[in-house]
Amino acid sequence: MTIEANQASRDDKDVRRLDRVIIRFAGDSGDGMQLTGDRFTSETASLGNDLSTLPNFPAEIRAPAGTLPGVSSFQVHFADHDILTPGDAPDVLVAMNPAALKANLSDLPRGAEIIVNTDEFTSRALTKVGYAGNPLEDDSLDAYSVHRVPLTTLTVEALKAYELTRKEAGRSKNMFALGLLSWMYHRPTENTEAFLRAKFARRPDIAEANITAFRAGWNFGETTEDFAVSYEVAPAVSAFPAGTYRNISGNLALAYGLVAAGQQADLPLFLGSYPITPASDVLHELSKHKNFGVRSFQAEDEIAAIGAALGASFGGSLGVTTTSGPGVALKSETIGLAVSLELPLLIVAIQRGGPSTGLPTKTEQADLLQAMYGRNGEAPVPIVAPATPGECFGAAIEAARIALAYRTPVFLLSDGYLANGSEPWRVPEPAELPDLRVQFATGPNHTLPDGSETFWPYKRDETTLARPWAVPGTPGLEHRIGGIEKQDGTGNISYDPANHEHMVRTRQAKVDGVEVPDVVVDDPSGEARVLVLGWGSTYGPITAGVRRVRKAGGKIAQTHVRNLNPLPSNLGEVLRSYDRVVLPEMNLGQLSALLRARYLVDIQSLTQVTGLPFKAEQLATAFKEALDDVH
């Protein structure tokens, strides 16, 4: 029976409407859970649901099969209304083996649906993860709705017409599971089939085998008695302003933002990068866009990568380097050089768990102080932090605006949660993007006492304090570069104490003078005494938590800081206008410490360093406690 025929017979089964669903696919890191989740997400986006995702996987390329540390999962939350997080607790868990079940069972609420691949529940597999008996045969799962499905056997049976070994055929069980879930939640199928044909274009037999497994899973849902109910989640039409939308991850949005910045500045974009999780996707994506004047360079190490990017900026390009925390440490000397040279440079740091190698595939916000102060001497740099995956696009453009206008290196602080997570994103119209074009120095800019004219490389713009951007090779614009202190104006090497203090204070004043928008406070009642402040990827969980408190009748305000250096000019006034300020961070209180020192405000720091984002209910509970304390 074809999918089309089954579609017509769906009326034979119960179809229930839901306003939202949270699904988690889990299995070994080689089971294709990330691909499965990504395809389900793409089809969900095409239907117009609002969505948020959370990929979670081991750092090893192939983690130990069948073990708890080797479990890879992908969670997708989709709804018919505006949502902000991947969800606290899954409504559905697809567990491909005992390890996946055991690693995720504690997150499930009572009544959740569990779809298990019974073929993998062997004595050996159960023993490997510490099960004394088979949970599918005792009463330990009685609180859940369990669907026992021999996914591997059914997949192998569906592919018996293909010349594949059982092991080869079994690899398509993730597509069988995807087909089954696509049937359960009325997801489209055409785009996934087209995707598989494109992905395996060089192996059409493998492509067709995966498509057959996908269709078999869909048909299984339609014909088996075990799945008597399917579900519909209507499009979230009212949640989105008019426009063209696509599903986008933070890293992809960031890459597109960098391309757009280069176009809006009418400058070549140069990326000097060394692969590092979770930033490598930006390098991969930018390497595809030579047609937009993008030149990507995979260097031999982090130091060479930023050195090349800074050299490109010296040569008149928009220089960019991408990395994560360990790479920032290695790049610190060259960032200081960029501060001294006063050249535009974007340092994209996508934070992960530390210290050292830490948790390469997990998220954290613990590199803020490193971005602020992780260089020798007084070396201030502006810092921009996006709040959502889609906002990474605008953050890249904002970072480029600051770097180009003020001739300074700029940090863009994303994190693993934003980088790998995805959401619907409205594609902006070109007319909505800012004009980032700059004027290069073209000739002498200073008149000497004798009336002759010369070029001074550190003669500054009176408004921005930016020095001229002189492209090497331009006649008459020869000047010194290097890390030794320069004399203001002439750019000659200077050891004069007064000049050094002047230059240090001028560089600080330039960063302090960067124009950034004020923070906007969301306080519907105007009577809140508690303010929740956030930065970076905590925006989604914070906002979801605040909504829950307000729904319960609590009066609470919220604001989010996107420019971390310099801080918005009205932030101190805002903080002092509330009895209690609560600041959740995925670190040990780094922004809290900065704000306490700057504004002398007693901020309640709420911290977490688990490698995972906050949960909405967790924050809602903390916010309610803060409200109780001030009443």
Side-chain angles (χ1 to χ4, degrees):
M1 184 180 290
T2 65
I3 287 179
E4 291 77 9
N6 275 333
Q7 196 78 39
S9 66
R10 191 187 285 272
D11 291 340
D12 296 337
K13 293 197 176 187
D14 185 13
V15 179
R16 299 178 187 174
R17 301 206 71 165
L18 302 174
D19 62 348
R20 68 181 187 91
V21 177
I22 303 168
I23 300 174
R24 184 181 296 176
F25 299 91
D28 275 336
S29 58
D31 283 339
M33 294 296 94
Q34 303 306 315
L35 174 62
T36 305
D38 182 70
R39 289 314 311 160
F40 191 92
T41 300
S42 295
E43 299 295 5
T44 296
S46 71
L47 272 181
N49 295 122
D50 195 12
L51 62 90
S52 180
T53 67
L54 178 62
N56 189 4
F57 45 88
E60 294 83 1
I61 293 174
R62 186 65 172 92
T67 65
L68 295 176
V71 173
S72 172
S73 68
F74 188 106
Q75 183 162 306
V76 55
H77 180 192
F78 59 103
D80 65 2
H81 57 276
D82 175 33
I83 58 174
L84 299 156
T85 75
D88 288 358
D91 302 303
V92 181
L93 171 66
V94 179
M96 304 299 280
N97 59 21
L101 177 64
K102 189 167 189 177
N104 293 282
L105 189 61
S106 61
D107 291 338
L108 301 184
R110 293 179 64 87
E113 290 193 82
I114 304 175
I115 301 172
V116 292
N117 179 16
T118 56
D119 289 325
E120 295 298 321
F121 279 68
T122 63
S123 298
R124 184 170 181 271
L126 291 165
T127 301
K128 186 180 289 188
V129 295
Y131 275 123
N134 190 339
L136 303 182
E137 298 174 354
D138 56 30
D139 60 359
S140 61
L141 300 179
D142 285 354
Y144 311 100
S145 176
V146 181
H147 303 277
R148 298 165 177 81
V149 183
L151 289 173
T152 306
T153 298
L154 291 171
T155 303
V156 171
E157 179 66 20
L159 301 183
K160 63 183 179 181
Y162 295 85
E163 295 183 359
L164 299 172
T165 66
R166 179 180 175 84
K167 183 177 181 180
E168 290 171 336
R171 290 174 182 160
S172 296
K173 62 182 180 291
N174 63 322
M175 288 297 104
F176 189 102
L178 177 60
L180 173 57
L181 270 293
S182 297
W183 174 84
M184 284 182 67
Y185 292 96
H186 297 212
R187 302 298 95 180
T189 60
E190 296 82 2
N191 290 338
T192 291
E193 294 191 10
F195 168 83
L196 291 170
R197 289 193 174 96
K199 179 177 177 63
F200 298 106
R202 296 183 180 180
R203 292 289 308 275
D205 55 331
I206 299 298
E208 292 307 314
N210 277 282
I211 291 170
T212 298
F214 175 66
R215 290 176 175 175
W218 204 99
N219 291 330
F220 177 78
E222 180 67 24
T223 57
T224 184
E225 295 182 359
D226 192 36
F227 292 90
V229 180
S230 65
Y231 306 92
E232 287 184 346
V233 180
V237 177
S238 62
F240 301 123
T244 301
Y245 285 82
R246 59 157 295 165
N247 183 50
I248 201 164
S249 69
N251 272 353
L252 185 57
L254 200 155
Y256 286 174
L258 292 173
V259 174
Q263 293 296 296
Q264 293 303 107
D266 196 22
L267 293 175
L269 180 74
F270 180 91
L271 174 69
S273 183
Y274 181 75
I276 183 172
T277 301
S280 299
D281 288 342
V282 182
L283 169 62
H284 300 159
E285 183 61 33
L286 287 180
S287 68
K288 303 174 184 177
H289 297 292
K290 297 181 180 67
N291 56 315
F292 286 112
V294 179
R295 183 170 296 175
S296 56
F297 169 59
Q298 181 176 319
E300 65 268 28
D301 56 42
E302 297 280 5
I303 298 172
I306 191 172
L310 182 57
S313 291
F314 179 57
S317 296
L318 177 55
V320 182
T321 190
T322 52
T323 190
S324 189
V328 174
L330 293 168
K331 295 177 189 290
S332 62
E333 183 178 4
T334 306
I335 297 171
L337 176 60
V339 171
S340 176
L341 297 180
E342 300 189 44
L343 287 171
L345 176 68
L346 303 187
I347 305 106
V348 178
I350 301 177
Q351 301 165 97
R352 69 190 205 188
S356 187
T357 308
L359 304 175
T361 59
K362 311 300 180 183
T363 195
E364 207 163 87
Q365 288 181 301
D367 295 339
L368 174 57
L369 293 182
Q370 182 184 36
M372 283 286 291
Y373 302 120
R375 294 163 295 284
N376 61 296
E378 297 287 348
V381 296
I383 303 172
V384 178
T388 69
E391 199 175 280
C392 290
F393 178 88
I397 293 177
E398 169 68 358
R401 177 192 71 84
I402 295 171
L404 293 169
Y406 294 88
R407 310 286 196 271
T408 178
V410 177
F411 262 98
L412 194 162
L413 278 185
S414 179
D415 62 41
Y417 174 34
L418 295 182
N420 296 316
S422 60
E423 65 176 359
W425 173 66
R426 188 181 71 84
V427 180
E429 297 295 333
E432 299 173 24
L433 302 180
D435 185 349
L436 302 181
R437 287 174 294 182
V438 298
Q439 294 293 324
F440 289 104
T442 57
N445 62 2
H446 184 76
T447 303
L448 296 172
D450 63 3
S452 63
E453 294 185 332
T454 187
F455 173 67
W456 276 13
Y458 283 84
K459 187 170 185 177
R460 302 177 183 280
D461 180 276
E462 293 181 0
T463 302
T464 64
L465 299 181
R467 79 175 186 92
W469 194 357
V471 177
T474 305
L477 303 189
E478 297 84 358
H479 61 282
R480 293 178 182 271
I481 62 169
I484 298 179
E485 186 63 279
K486 310 296 187 300
Q487 184 182 56
D488 194 28
T490 68
N492 295 328
I493 290 175
S494 173
Y495 290 94
D496 178 64
N499 176 76
H500 176 57
E501 175 149 351
H502 172 74
M503 293 292 278
V504 168
R505 293 187 181 277
T506 299
R507 289 188 288 261
Q508 183 66 58
K510 180 171 66 171
V511 172
D512 291 342
V514 171
E515 291 188 5
V516 302
D518 285 346
V519 292
V520 177
V521 178
D522 175 24
D523 184 2
S525 70
E527 301 174 0
R529 296 171 60 190
V530 173
L531 172 71
V532 181
L533 173 68
W535 72 275
S537 67
T538 56
Y539 173 78
I542 286 175
T543 306
V546 166
R547 286 181 180 178
R548 296 187 186 193
V549 172
R550 289 176 180 168
K551 189 175 182 180
K555 295 177 180 179
I556 190 168
Q558 177 190 359
T559 191
H560 208 76
V561 181
R562 290 169 172 84
N563 293 89
L564 296 168
N565 195 34
L567 291 163
S569 60
N570 70 328
L571 182 58
E573 179 184 353
V574 167
L575 297 180
R576 286 187 285 267
S577 63
Y578 289 88
D579 295 340
R580 176 70 57 85
V581 178
V582 182
L583 175 49
E585 297 183 77
M586 292 187 293
N587 56 46
L588 296 184
Q590 295 187 12
L591 182 59
S592 296
L594 291 174
L595 297 182
R596 287 190 188 110
R598 176 75 177 270
Y599 300 113
L600 303 180
V601 173
D602 185 16
I603 293 173
Q604 179 182 332
S605 184
L606 182 61
T607 65
Q608 173 176 295
V609 282
T610 61
L612 296 171
F614 285 104
K615 292 183 177 179
E617 187 59 33
Q618 168 193 3
L619 293 183
T621 300
F623 301 159
K624 290 173 185 175
E625 292 174 354
L627 285 176
D628 292 340
D629 288 344
V630 300
H631 288 101

